[in-house]
Amino acid sequence: MIRKVLIRLLNLIPVLIGISFLSFLLMRLSPGDFLSQMSLNPQVSPEIIAKLRSLYGLDQPLPVQYFRWVEALLRGEFGYSFSYHVKVTDLILSRVPNTLLLAVSSVILSWGLAIPLAIRGAMFPNGFLDRTLTGMSYLSIAIPSFFLAILGVLLAGETGWFPIGGASSPGVPEGSWWPVFLDRLHHLILPALTLALGSIGVLYRLMKSSVMEVMGKPWMTAARARGLSPALLRRRYLFRNAINPLITIFGFELGGLLSGAAFTEMVYGWPGMGRLMLHAVMSQDLYLVMGGIMTGAVMLLSGNMIADTFLWFLDPRVREEE
Amino acid sequence: MAAARKLVARGGLAGKILLFLFFISLFAEFFVPYGYNDVRFDLSYAPAVVPRITGSGIVVPVLEQVDPVSRSYRYVPGKISRVHFFCSGDRYRLLGVFLSDRHLICADAPGRISFLGSDALGRDLFSRLMIGMRLSFLLSFFGVAISFMVGVTAGLVSGYRGGWVDSVIMRTGEVFMAIPSLYLLMGFRALFPPGIPSGEAALVITGALALVGWASLARVIRGVTMSLVKEDYIMAAKSSGARPAEIFTKHLLPNMSPYLVVAVTLSVPGFIVGEAGLSFLGLGIAPPHPSLGNMLADAQSLTVIRTAPWLLMSGLLVVVLVLLFNRLGDHIRESE
């Protein structure tokens, strides 16, 4: 197992190098940077611009700049944000937990809802529940996350059940963790639900067809014939066999989830990576955009790794392959 | 042409509806009553005014602003305007070429036909939606075409050649797939200054979306190619000295065409949503040019949605288009 993880990690190195190269290229190809915008400001003298340029190494040839950037990356330094005037690393570290919190809660919600519903739906295919859910899954797949988020804002505004904007309310007493936790949860529910509703359709359809396939297997009939209780059968045999494709697509799902999370963050004002990226792109904040792309990729790749590890533990067939 | 007819016949209801919508949007300026930037400050957030049939023909009631602050409107009692068909109205260029002022439907001077209501600047939402929908169609068709040319070529070469070429192409694809698509889109968008004109923005978005989409396609095409290359007829073609380009176009592509048609159809929604999303964030098509995304961005605040809930229609149209394309793809796949 450890060997396998190590091999996987080694395989990631060329991909990470490629990503760093791509994000560097994207930013350096752009015609303007923060300094060229600053140079339009008459209050800033050309000497200062030139000084800043050499300070950030922007006057060096491109390969030199790239290696300096990568070298800094390896030390955990993503550079300096021109628009926030703080280190990019600090900015990203302050935002990543929020995005992860949003993404993880939405995964818990969507899997927690889709899996039991899909098992129920597969028990009675074409029944009332299955047909309703299949219809809704089409809608869930088709509705863009930003539109769903707007509808969520509308819901919150009309009912007053959820707060809109930010991840916490002002005036919540610091120190006592329980009210802070509740307030946080209150802010989290709607964005997480928005994100979950968008991915539940795919999960339902995939899980349903997988459950139906497993139920048709001869060993299921054999187990049933031996008198195993349906509950035990479902929990120990059906679930563990049927969950496999869901974990396999987790990697793909995560990519969509992180993009969806970015949209959701922007509409709800949730202070995560997506909003940070948008701001960075709008203000041509070089290092922040590069750092954001790297962070997004690292989140996605780690998600894939975690999914693979899960699969290894859960499915003996995957272990056998080695 | 025959292939196109077969496609239409196989498209089912969803295909026919899409074809109809595409036709309408292609000649949108003729079918809608007003231009996309026909600003009327006195009709800000005015509700829909739909023609009705009376004894004296088809007429519309005339709307009048009561309070410019609360944006409340009332019908002027007893005042109506006649509705005409194939009448002259705002001037436009059909398909961007032919100068014309003919509209399918328009109303006499004080009256105004508004099927869905007006936006903040009093522009007719229906007219803007139809013109915005055309952008969605055209942009996604071009984008799909580009990403397919790149993706299919990369997949074919990778699967056919194998070896180090395969490794290089696939590793490159993995790099693109390892970045969450919106992050990559935003990164690519950052190549260009924030406020570029809409025409250029459309090109940039198309390129960006194609850049995001090619890799997953290349991967699948590579898999299909690798399994096809083992077939006898490919071996035969190879051993009789056919060049790779010949094998690609004569043997491989025709054999994967059923799969390709489905994949094309199912990748269109990604482009529609991608364009709408970027424009929604203010990184795409800029107003006054209508796009389904930047129109939805107008409906972000609660007060606006309460005053003019019809502004959500652009989001609904995106959902409908995506549903239809997904349905079309499923239908083609099932009828194979």
Side-chain angles (χ1 to χ4, degrees):
Chain A
M1 178 64 205
I2 292 168
R3 225 191 98 197
K4 197 198 160 207
V5 170
L6 277 178
I7 291 173
R8 282 289 311 243
L9 280 176
L10 284 179
N11 269 331
L12 284 186
I13 291 173
V15 175
L16 279 174
I17 292 175
I19 294 165
S20 72
F21 188 66
L22 183 70
S23 59
F24 177 80
L25 209 65
L26 280 179
M27 284 327 291
R28 292 315 298 161
L29 281 177
S30 70
D33 54 35
F34 194 80
L35 291 177
S36 62
Q37 219 168 317
M38 201 189 264
S39 64
L40 295 177
N41 186 345
Q43 286 185 331
V44 182
S45 70
E47 289 82 50
I48 291 180
I49 299 283
K51 219 169 150 190
L52 281 172
R53 209 166 274 277
S54 73
L55 181 67
Y56 293 120
L58 296 178
D59 52 352
Q60 305 278 327
L62 279 183
V64 176
Q65 282 188 41
Y66 174 69
F67 283 114
R68 280 178 62 168
W69 183 62
V70 170
E71 187 208 18
L73 269 189
L74 292 176
R75 279 184 279 119
E77 294 281 336
F78 279 71
Y80 186 79
S81 160
F82 298 114
S83 59
Y84 285 93
H85 302 291
V86 278
K87 276 201 238 155
V88 170
T89 320
D90 296 346
L91 260 181
I92 287 179
L93 283 182
S94 72
R95 298 298 189 93
V96 163
N98 282 328
T99 293
L100 286 182
L101 179 67
L102 183 61
V104 168
S105 1
S106 111
V107 168
I108 293 173
L109 270 174
S110 59
W111 285 49
L113 282 171
I115 292 171
L117 285 175
I119 293 179
R120 203 124 292 269
M123 297 280 159
F124 311 100
N126 276 325
F128 174 73
L129 181 79
D130 178 38
R131 260 190 279 167
T132 318
L133 288 172
T134 305
M136 276 161 67
S137 74
Y138 272 107
L139 208 59
S140 150
I141 292 167
I143 196 162
S145 47
F146 49 91
F147 186 46
L148 203 58
I150 287 187
L151 295 182
V153 169
L154 190 62
L155 176 81
E158 291 300 320
T159 60
W161 294 340
F162 308 102
I164 309 174
S168 55
S169 334
V172 174
E174 290 285 325
S176 49
W177 64 273
W178 181 243
V180 173
F181 173 75
L182 277 186
D183 177 60
R184 196 97 172 132
L185 198 66
H186 197 192
H187 279 84
L188 177 66
I189 293 174
L190 199 57
L193 202 63
T194 306
L195 206 50
L197 284 179
S199 56
I200 218 164
V202 179
L203 294 177
Y204 176 79
R205 276 162 65 166
L206 195 69
M207 185 67 187
K208 195 191 104 185
S209 66
S210 168
V211 167
M212 285 176 71
E213 197 195 313
V214 172
M215 282 205 300
K217 290 268 162 70
W219 55 261
M220 271 302 273
T221 319
R224 211 176 301 138
R226 282 175 197 186
L228 261 70
S229 78
L232 186 73
L233 204 63
R234 267 208 297 274
R235 205 173 48 238
R236 190 172 294 168
Y237 297 97
L238 182 64
F239 174 76
R240 281 189 64 168
N241 275 285
I243 196 76
N244 192 325
L246 232 60
I247 299 179
T248 311
I249 68 140
F250 180 76
F252 288 98
E253 200 207 327
L254 194 66
L257 201 66
L258 287 174
S259 300
F263 277 118
T264 313
E265 282 165 10
M266 291 164 200
V267 177
Y268 288 116
W270 181 265
M273 276 305 295
R275 257 172 42 121
L276 189 67
M277 271 292 278
L278 180 66
H279 184 98
V281 171
M282 290 282 198
S283 53
Q284 303 236 307
D285 196 340
L286 229 84
Y287 291 116
L288 194 51
V289 177
M290 293 198 285
I293 294 178
M294 287 300 290
T295 313
V298 168
M299 286 195 283
L300 188 58
L301 290 171
S302 349
N304 277 333
M305 287 289 291
I306 293 171
D308 280 358
T309 318
F310 259 129
L311 210 57
W312 193 86
F313 274 114
L314 219 60
D315 195 336
R317 282 169 297 185
V318 178
R319 267 172 281 170
E320 286 286 302
E321 270 171 29
E322 286 154 44
Chain B
M1 208 53 227
R5 202 173 305 136
K6 207 170 121 200
L7 202 63
V8 171
R10 279 202 321 211
L13 185 62
K16 292 192 179 75
I17 297 175
L18 279 172
L19 209 61
F20 174 73
L21 288 177
F22 181 58
F23 179 75
I24 296 272
S25 73
L26 208 54
F27 301 99
E29 283 89 350
F30 167 73
F31 286 108
V32 301
Y34 304 102
Y36 68 84
N37 200 20
D38 186 11
V39 175
R40 287 279 299 270
F41 287 111
D42 55 326
L43 287 174
S44 170
Y45 296 132
V49 183
V50 181
R52 52 180 79 149
I53 301 168
T54 61
S56 54
I58 303 173
V59 297
V60 282
V62 176
L63 210 59
E64 182 188 63
Q65 198 171 47
V66 180
D67 179 14
V69 178
S70 71
R71 268 122 178 175
S72 54
Y73 291 86
R74 68 177 184 122
Y75 292 124
V76 184
K79 211 168 164 191
I80 48 169
S81 294
R82 289 187 68 86
V83 171
H84 302 280
F85 294 95
F86 299 102
C87 40
S88 59
D90 291 343
R91 295 173 74 78
Y92 59 89
R93 275 184 186 279
L94 198 66
L95 298 172
V97 184
F98 309 106
L99 200 63
S100 165
D101 64 349
R102 290 285 135 192
H103 290 259
L104 179 64
I105 187 169
C106 36
D108 275 340
R112 205 172 150 87
I113 303 167
S114 172
F115 292 108
L116 296 172
S118 308
D119 67 2
L121 301 178
R123 297 173 295 196
D124 179 37
L125 186 68
F126 175 72
S127 307
R128 284 174 64 76
L129 265 188
M130 289 302 116
I131 294 169
M133 183 167 72
R134 171 173 58 207
L135 178 91
S136 286
F137 272 122
L138 293 181
L139 192 142
S140 49
F141 291 163
F142 277 116
V144 167
I146 297 173
S147 94
F148 262 67
M149 272 192 282
V150 178
V152 169
T153 314
L156 279 174
V157 171
S158 189
Y160 186 80
R161 281 290 302 271
W164 67 270
V165 179
D166 179 33
S167 297
V168 168
I169 293 179
M170 283 301 113
R171 288 299 95 74
T172 316
E174 269 167 39
V175 167
F176 282 86
M177 289 203 292
I179 305 172
S181 55
L182 187 61
Y183 287 65
L184 184 56
L185 283 175
M186 289 203 281
F188 186 75
R189 182 59 184 79
L191 277 180
F192 304 90
I196 51 175
S198 292
E200 287 169 39
L203 286 180
V204 171
I205 297 175
T206 315
L209 289 168
L211 193 76
V212 171
W214 73 273
S216 55
L217 186 78
R219 223 166 121 118
V220 183
I221 296 291
R222 169 180 174 265
V224 180
T225 309
M226 283 170 100
S227 67
L228 282 179
V229 162
K230 293 196 193 89
E231 300 275 338
D232 288 342
Y233 59 88
I234 305 281
M235 295 286 210
K238 241 198 241 179
S239 52
S240 58
R243 282 173 296 116
E246 228 171 313
I247 294 178
F248 287 171
T249 50
K250 280 215 179 108
H251 301 289
L252 288 174
L253 278 179
N255 274 297
M256 50 177 88
S257 67
Y259 168 78
L260 283 179
V261 171
V262 175
V264 164
T265 321
L266 292 180
S267 66
V268 172
F271 283 80
I272 293 179
V273 171
E275 180 276 317
L278 283 181
S279 301
F280 176 78
L281 296 179
L283 297 172
I285 311 295
H289 294 277
S291 118
L292 297 184
N294 72 25
M295 290 167 75
L296 188 62
D298 292 344
Q300 273 200 74
S301 95
L302 207 53
T303 39
V304 171
I305 304 178
R306 283 197 180 123
T307 335
W310 48 85
L311 288 181
L312 293 174
M313 285 303 282
S314 54
L316 204 64
L317 188 57
V318 173
V319 176
V320 169
L321 289 178
V322 173
L323 272 176
L324 286 171
F325 273 108
N326 282 342
R327 187 74 207 100
L328 177 66
D330 288 351
H331 191 89
I332 297 173
R333 179 160 48 197
E334 281 156 21
S335 63
E336 282 305 325

